[in-house]
Amino acid sequence: FFLVKEKMKGKNKLVPRLLGVTKDNVLRVDEKTKEVMKKYPLTTVRRWAASPKSFTLDFGDYQDSYYSVQTADGEQISALIAGYIDIILKKRKMRDRVGLEGEEDATLLEDVVSPHRATIIQHQVPKTGQAVSGSVALP
């Protein structure tokens, strides 16, 4: 979680909040009670921007306005969101391939995920067929 400050609606006052990023959601959490005030699914994030003193999320048609906060951790938040969205997009791309569902003998390779560079579990289809014999020696 990142400590951020957000502007209160209708007032010119900044309120401390916690901004959490999970593999599925961006969470807006009350700093004192730790109660989740709002969940933004990562699949609704259209754009995001980080500056040295702020961070902004754009949810496109899912929300009327941008969600902006003051924070010095904008680049770290941005890298984390980018990594998770990269994983979501790769999973969607893999799901679109034929044969992903129902492959009982398929193996999965899992790589380490870090906030700066995202990798994904890769799907490998088993290769079946007949053995071919031959010679690699040249005459």
Side-chain angles (χ1 to χ4, degrees):
F1 284 90
F2 300 92
L3 182 61
V4 299
K5 291 183 180 178
E6 69 179 34
K7 187 177 175 187
M8 288 181 70
K9 287 189 178 189
K11 295 184 181 179
N12 202 15
K13 183 179 177 185
L14 295 175
V15 180
R17 296 277 183 243
L18 293 174
L19 186 71
V21 181
T22 68
K23 66 183 181 82
D24 299 315
N25 300 296
V26 175
L27 305 172
R28 196 173 140 237
V29 178
D30 185 274
E31 181 208 16
K32 292 178 182 167
T33 65
K34 309 298 188 248
E35 177 187 345
V36 175
M37 299 170 67
K38 179 92 174 172
K39 274 187 183 182
Y40 302 101
L42 282 176
T43 54
T44 64
V45 174
R46 293 293 161 247
R47 294 180 295 177
W48 63 93
S51 71
K53 294 185 179 180
S54 69
F55 181 76
T56 303
L57 285 165
D58 177 10
F59 297 98
D61 296 335
Y62 295 97
Q63 191 167 318
D64 294 336
S65 61
Y66 298 150
Y67 176 65
S68 292
V69 294
Q70 284 189 0
T71 180
D73 299 322
E75 291 297 327
Q76 291 174 317
I77 298 169
S78 179
L80 196 55
I81 289 175
Y84 283 130
I85 287 181
D86 189 36
I87 289 172
I88 289 169
L89 293 175
K90 285 181 180 180
K91 281 184 180 178
R92 280 186 183 168
K93 186 186 258 185
M94 285 175 44
R95 209 173 290 134
D96 291 342
R97 292 184 186 165
V98 178
L100 181 60
E101 301 296 326
E103 294 283 345
E104 290 183 15
D105 346 356
T107 57
L108 295 175
L109 297 177
E110 185 175 351
D111 290 331
V112 176
V113 177
S114 70
H116 297 289
R117 188 180 137 265
T119 54
I120 188 167
I121 297 174
Q122 297 176 356
H123 180 259
Q124 294 183 342
V125 179
K127 296 179 182 171
T128 58
Q130 298 181 1
V132 178
S133 63
S135 174
V136 292
L138 296 174

